[in-house]
Amino acid sequence: DAGVTQSPTHLIKTRGQQVTLRCSPKSGHDTVSWYQQALGQGPQFIFQYYEEEERQRGNFPDRFSGHQFPNYSSELNVNALLLGDSALYLCASSLVGQGFSYGYTFGSGTRLTVV
Amino acid sequence: AQSVTQPDIHITVSEGASLELRCNYSYGATPYLFWYVQSPGQGLQLLLKYFSGDTLVQGIKGFEAEFKRSQSSFNLRKPSVHWSDAAEYFCAVGERTGGFKTIFGAGTRLFVKA
């Protein structure tokens, strides 16, 4: 049973560029959440997608956007990259009907470095 | 707004010694509480969770946590630490506002010495 798959694993971008990160949720899961984890910090909630719509959003600027596809996979897009966007981006999947019952299943993340 | 505080940035324990990692939360209602572990370069793995009922919850890898409402705490414990337990540990609280959002603490890095 495949867990959460994220791609790419590492990425280096230049300030001002745009980046797209991808996530395939665990089989059977329908909800995808994205987190940003800066070095030495806990994960910070970016947004959550369910039924192809953004359901909740954390305190992140509009430069951060996302999408969920009919197969439940998701993309995170970041425009006009800043040095401060350098972080580990984590995707977490869950089943909405279970609420918090089983917590999240996390991917291994995408390490984004902005230079 | 909900928040989670992990007072200890890092802790060092000897292999075989007991462990307690502290967590305090701020939440108006009965919280959903979690502990996750993150090994270097990896995602987070759920260790245990508390929703209601028995305030002492058992998790994977021999971990347990105790919910104390009066202290707004949810400390993680393990009676005997193994070298493989060295990792970053995150306490988290679940917030239900339309959807389900999990808010994480800053984490505690556990070092295990031989």
Side-chain angles (χ1 to χ4, degrees), chain B residues 69-81:
Chain B
R69 184 186 300 275
S70 61
Q71 299 176 18
S72 296
S73 69
F74 189 57
N75 295 348
L76 182 71
R77 301 195 295 247
K78 187 170 185 178
S80 177
V81 169

Side-chain angles (χ1 to χ4, degrees), chain A residues 35 37 48 56 100-101 104, chain B residues 36 38 49 51 97 100 102:
Chain A
Y35 284 82
Q37 186 179 19
Q48 182 178 79
Q56 289 197 91
F100 284 123
S101 298
Y104 288 155
Chain B
Y36 285 84
Q38 184 179 36
K49 59 188 182 290
F51 295 157
T97 53
F100 293 89
T102 304

Side-chain angles (χ1 to χ4, degrees), chain A:
Chain A
D1 181 20
V4 177
T5 304
Q6 292 187 245
S7 63
T9 55
H10 296 83
L11 201 54
I12 299 175
K13 289 287 189 178
T14 304
R15 274 180 300 175
Q17 285 189 316
Q18 178 264 345
V19 67
T20 297
L21 310 182
R22 295 177 176 83
C23 172
S24 293
K26 180 179 178 179
S27 178
H29 284 182
D30 57 8
T31 301
V32 172
S33 302
W34 286 92
Y35 284 82
Q36 180 194 65
Q37 186 179 19
L39 203 60
Q41 306 278 331
Q44 300 293 314
F45 177 74
I46 302 175
F47 42 54
Q48 182 178 79
Y49 276 84
Y50 169 64
E51 290 186 331
E52 302 179 48
E53 289 188 17
E54 183 181 294
R55 299 293 178 167
Q56 289 197 91
R57 189 177 184 91
N59 189 26
F60 279 80
D62 292 343
R63 299 187 297 109
F64 289 77
S65 64
H67 189 77
Q68 186 180 36
F69 299 93
N71 67 353
Y72 308 120
S73 67
S74 177
E75 290 181 349
L76 163 65
N77 301 291
V78 187
N79 294 322
L81 284 166
L82 304 173
L83 294 179
D85 295 330
S86 296
L88 180 68
Y89 287 85
L90 295 166
C91 172
S93 72
S94 55
L95 185 61
V96 71
Q98 293 175 346
F100 284 123
S101 298
Y102 298 99
Y104 288 155
T105 300
F106 279 86
S108 297
T110 294
R111 173 71 64 186
L112 172 64
T113 302
V114 182
V115 297

